[in-house]
């Protein structure tokens, strides 16, 4: 059994002495030991080498009293497995030489056997669990079908994903076909992660907030909900949609164990929109980690008091930024551990 099961208790909605804490992108670019590996190996080499991925996963666990680890990987390993050849381009980010722009290209996208194409992720889970030695739970994750779709159509990051949205509105049949292929692959991928021993999975809908509420239902939520329905009987599912406050009520009605919220909503409204019935995760502004440690500590304590200690997981409202001082990240985590009612 896992020795520190605070995170799992929060997902089950049980009473806790204090809420659990972890940070999105906690195994990342703000850590000097991560930077040392980044300088030696390119991005996808780190994702696709189980020894490196597991080492990066546990780096923050060695430093900080975190209540959960999240497997180091990337949401784009799923489209790569589907034959969509993403690269990570210096100073640009995700890059596709030939973005998907036609129905014919969609037809050529495969739904792979995840054991063949993503075996390196499952090997990394095994290695990581060995290192964690049942101290804390391990979280597996995937991008939402809509978020992955955005990159596949756009071919790179974007401020508005206008090309991706236009594809949906001009070629809805092809759009839904690609979204379904991504969904089917993601379900198989996350199910295998659960079989390999992760304690929970999180679905990141980074670009859901780009859509209107009606379009969100059609092009994002219905596919996320398929994932939730498929995984909820097997494990805890956390859904996080950046900028998706308008969908919180819908998310709450699903079988998700927890719902993530970003920093653009107050704790009080987040509780109201989720009918005080579901575990919430969030929602500290990542940029606020530039504040002085004493200020961070005060703000974290205030955040916990406003959300309430039960049915709550302390986290950032999105991933930690690369230029955050290590001592500020530590102040955030320790503020939770030291919180008293």
């Amino acid at each position: 059994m896992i020795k520190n099961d605070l995170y799992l208790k929060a997902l089950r909605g049980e009473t806790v002495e204090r809420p659990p804490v972890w940070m999105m992108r906690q195994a990342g670019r703000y850590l000097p030991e991560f930077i040392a590996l980044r300088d030696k190996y390119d991005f996808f080499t780190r994702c696709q080498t189980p020894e490196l991925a597991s080492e990066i996963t546990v780096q923050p666990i060695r430093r900080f009293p975190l209540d959960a680890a999240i497997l180091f990987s990337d949401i784009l390993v799923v489209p790569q497995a589907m034959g969509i050849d993403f690269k990570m381009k210096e100073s640009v980010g995700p890059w596709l030489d030939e973005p998907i722009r036609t129905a014919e290209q969609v037809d050529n996208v495969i739904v792979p056997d995840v054991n063949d194409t993503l075996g390196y992720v499952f090997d990394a889970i095994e290695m990581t669990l060995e290192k964690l030695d049942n101290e804390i739970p391990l979280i597996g994750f995937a991008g939402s079908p809509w978020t992955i779709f955005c990159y596949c159509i756009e071919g790179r990051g974007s401020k508005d994903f206008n090309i991706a949205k236009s594809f949906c509105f001009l070629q809805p049949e092809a759009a839904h076909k690609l979204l379904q292929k991504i969904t089917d692959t993601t379900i198989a991928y996350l199910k295998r992660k659960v079989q390999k021993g992760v304690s929970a999975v999180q679905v990141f809908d980074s670009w859901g907030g780009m859509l209107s509420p009606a379009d969100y239902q059609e092009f994002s939520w219905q596919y996320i909900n398929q994932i939730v329905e498929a995984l909820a009987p097997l494990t805890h599912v956390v859904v996080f949609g950046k900028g998706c406050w308008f969908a919180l009520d819908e998310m709450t009605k699903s079988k998700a164990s927890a719902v993530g919220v970003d920093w653009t909503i107050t704790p009080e409204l987040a509780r109201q929109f989720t009918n005080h019935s579901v575990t919430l995760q969030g929602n500290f502004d990542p940029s606020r980690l530039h504040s002085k440690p004493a200020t961070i500590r005060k703000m974290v304590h205030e955040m916990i008091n406003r959300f309430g200690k039960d049915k709550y997981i302390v986290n950032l409202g999105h991933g930690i930024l690369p230029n955050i001082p290590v001592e500020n990240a530590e102040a955030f985590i320790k503020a939770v551990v030291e919180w008293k009612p």
Side-chain angles (χ1 to χ4, degrees):
M1 294 297 289
I2 293 167
K3 292 166 197 165
N4 173 358
D5 63 348
L6 206 54
Y7 171 71
L8 300 177
K9 281 181 174 172
L11 289 176
R12 294 193 294 262
E14 295 173 11
T15 299
V16 291
E17 287 181 15
R18 68 161 175 88
V21 58
W22 69 279
M23 294 188 301
M24 289 186 271
R25 292 206 190 115
Q26 66 189 18
R29 299 166 289 179
Y30 70 106
L31 289 174
E33 53 269 47
F34 177 94
I35 293 165
L37 285 177
R38 182 195 66 186
D39 292 345
K40 281 175 77 173
Y41 306 99
D42 72 62
F43 182 76
F44 282 118
T45 298
R46 280 174 276 143
C47 291
Q48 293 163 3
T49 307
E51 293 80 3
L52 292 174
S54 68
E55 167 59 25
I56 291 167
T57 301
V58 300
Q59 283 178 345
I61 309 307
R62 293 191 190 117
R63 272 186 181 266
F64 310 126
L66 290 153
D67 297 305
I70 184 162
L71 188 73
F72 175 75
S73 187
D74 193 76
I75 64 169
L76 297 178
V77 300
V78 167
Q80 282 178 335
M82 299 170 72
I84 303 167
D85 188 23
F86 273 100
K87 302 175 178 70
M88 200 58 76
K89 210 170 185 180
E90 191 67 39
S91 306
V92 177
W95 182 267
L96 202 52
D97 287 332
E98 293 181 29
I100 294 170
R101 300 286 166 84
T102 67
E104 187 183 12
Q105 283 174 292
V106 171
D107 289 339
N108 291 332
V109 172
I110 61 163
V111 174
D113 180 335
V114 293
N115 293 302
D116 291 342
T117 53
L118 291 161
Y120 60 86
V121 177
F122 312 133
D123 291 344
I125 290 171
E126 282 186 2
M127 289 180 189
T128 305
L129 289 172
E130 205 172 304
K131 289 185 173 113
L132 292 174
D133 194 26
N134 288 324
E135 288 294 333
I136 56 172
L138 179 63
I139 304 166
F141 74 91
S144 73
W146 164 253
T147 290
I148 290 171
F149 174 94
C150 280
Y151 287 112
C152 292
I153 306 298
E154 208 84 23
R156 58 182 297 175
S158 166
K159 283 182 178 170
D160 54 17
F161 287 100
N162 189 40
I163 300 169
K165 289 170 77 171
S166 298
F167 187 93
C168 289
F169 307 148
L170 293 170
Q171 302 184 71
E173 196 177 320
H176 284 299
K177 187 182 275 190
L178 180 55
L179 284 161
Q180 191 60 55
K181 285 183 175 187
I182 297 166
T183 303
D184 293 343
T185 306
T186 303
I187 288 170
Y189 176 54
L190 291 177
K191 279 185 172 179
R192 190 73 181 123
K193 283 188 172 184
V194 174
Q195 288 169 355
K196 282 290 184 179
V198 301
S199 295
V201 295
Q202 177 157 318
V203 179
F204 285 87
D205 195 13
S206 300
W207 305 124
M210 297 286 173
L211 294 165
S212 72
D215 289 333
Y216 187 75
Q217 290 295 324
E218 182 176 352
F219 296 106
S220 186
W221 177 250
Q222 66 160 314
Y223 295 102
I224 292 174
N225 199 41
Q226 280 185 45
I227 297 168
V228 175
E229 288 282 328
L231 271 294
L234 309 174
T235 193
H236 296 288
V237 186
V238 182
V239 175
F240 171 66
K242 185 168 179 281
C244 299
W245 59 269
F246 55 80
L248 288 175
D249 180 52
E250 191 76 26
M251 291 172 176
T252 305
K253 291 173 187 165
S254 76
K255 292 175 184 171
S257 295
V259 174
V261 286
D262 68 19
W263 65 93
T264 61
I265 189 168
T266 64
E268 293 79 10
L269 278 176
R271 286 292 187 202
Q272 187 183 319
F273 290 173
T274 55
N275 306 309
H276 297 265
S277 64
V278 71
T279 295
L280 292 177
Q281 175 180 279
N283 69 338
F284 202 79
D285 182 349
S287 298
R288 263 293 180 179
L289 290 180
H290 285 297
S291 303
K292 290 179 178 171
T295 305
I296 293 168
R297 187 170 185 274
K298 183 170 173 286
M299 290 181 74
V300 168
H301 287 180
E302 183 184 303
M303 181 172 74
I304 296 171
N305 293 333
R306 290 173 71 185
F307 273 106
K309 71 174 174 68
D310 293 329
K311 289 189 178 175
Y312 179 48
I313 297 160
V314 180
N315 207 316
L316 305 175
H318 203 232
I320 187 168
L321 301 166
N323 57 350
I324 296 299
V326 173
E327 57 270 25
N328 291 20
E330 184 175 39
F332 175 81
I333 295 155
K334 285 194 168 170
V336 185
V337 176
E338 292 162 3
W339 176 85
K340 295 279 190 294

